[in-house]
Amino acid sequence: GQNIDQPTEMTATEGAIVQINCTYQTSGFNGLFWYQQHAGEAPTFLSYNVLDGLEEKGRFSSFLSRSKGYSYLLLKELQMKDSASYLCAVYPGGYNKLIFGAGTRLAVHP
Amino acid sequence: DGGITQSPKYLFRKEGQNVTLSCEQNLNHDAMYWYRQDPGQGLRLIYYSQIVNDFQKGDIAEGYSVSREKKESFPLTVTSAQKNPTAFYLCASKGSYSYEQYFGPGTRLTVT
C-alpha cells in the first residue's frame, strides 16, 4: 500500500528553527511536495523535490533522500504567521494522483 | 486573474438530499481533481479528470458523482448514499506539462 507519515503536532518559538519530517512508502516515486495550509483555507505550494538534496527558498528549505524514503521541511526565523498545517504529498507514479500525509499542525508561540 | 473558484464557501443541507459543489478554473488546465479533508486527516482523492468527458474514481468515490462536460468546470455531486458527507471539499487543477496542483478555496459542507 501507500503510506506517508508525519508528526501530528509540533510547537516552536517565534524566531527559532523547526524541522518537520516526512517518511513515505509508495509503489513508485515521481516527486514530493510540501504544502502549507492555514485553517479553513486551501493548501499553498511551498516546495517540490524530485532529486536528492536540499532546496532552499528564503526561510523555507526542503530536503529529500529517495533511498531512505525521507524528507524534511526546515522553517527558519519562525514568525507567528507560520502557524499552520504542513502537508507532505508524493506522486507514487505518473503525475496524476497525489498521496497526502495527514499533515503536521505547527503552533508558533511568542 | 487566473485561478480556481469554488462556491459557495459554506453549504448546509439536510440528510437525504443530494448537493452539487461547483468548481471552475480559467487556467486552461486539462486535469482537475476533487479532494475531501476531515479534521486531523490529509486530503483524500474522490475523483479526477485528465480530459473533457473523461474521469476516474479516486480512493473514496463511493457516494459521489462528477461530470466533465467543459474544460473549465468539474462539478461534484454528493449523493444521499454518502454516509458521512460533512467535510471540507477542495478542488484542484493541473496543467499538462506541470507537476503542481493548484487548489481552490474550498467548500465546507455540513449535513444534518
Side-chain angles (χ1 to χ4, degrees), chain B:
Chain B
D1 253 325
I4 304 176
T5 56
Q6 292 184 244
S7 60
K9 189 157 179 67
Y10 299 95
L11 192 52
F12 298 88
R13 281 293 183 271
K14 294 285 187 190
E15 200 172 311
Q17 294 178 336
N18 290 357
V19 59
T20 298
L21 282 59
S22 78
C23 177
E24 304 278 330
Q25 55 98 1
N26 60 4
L27 299 167
N28 200 33
H29 285 170
D30 288 308
M32 296 187 75
Y33 308 82
W34 273 106
Y35 292 94
R36 170 184 173 135
Q37 187 174 34
D38 294 283
Q41 295 196 36
L43 279 63
R44 291 184 290 166
L45 184 64
I46 306 172
Y47 269 98
Y48 66 103
S49 167
Q50 294 175 262
I51 55 171
V52 175
N53 293 322
D54 187 49
F55 49 83
Q56 285 81 42
K57 292 182 180 180
D59 301 316
I60 55 165
E62 187 176 345
Y64 300 97
S65 66
V66 293
S67 62
R68 186 86 188 276
E69 296 175 4
K70 297 187 299 182
K71 189 175 185 178
E72 308 80 43
S73 178
F74 191 41
L76 173 75
T77 297
V78 185
T79 75
S80 56
Q82 169 48 234
K83 290 185 178 19
N84 188 15
T86 294
F88 187 48
Y89 290 88
L90 285 158
C91 178
S93 70
K94 185 178 79 67
S96 296
Y97 302 104
S98 169
Y99 47 80
E100 182 183 345
Q101 292 187 15
Y102 294 81
F103 287 86
T107 292
R108 186 165 298 281
L109 173 65
T110 302
V111 176
T112 56

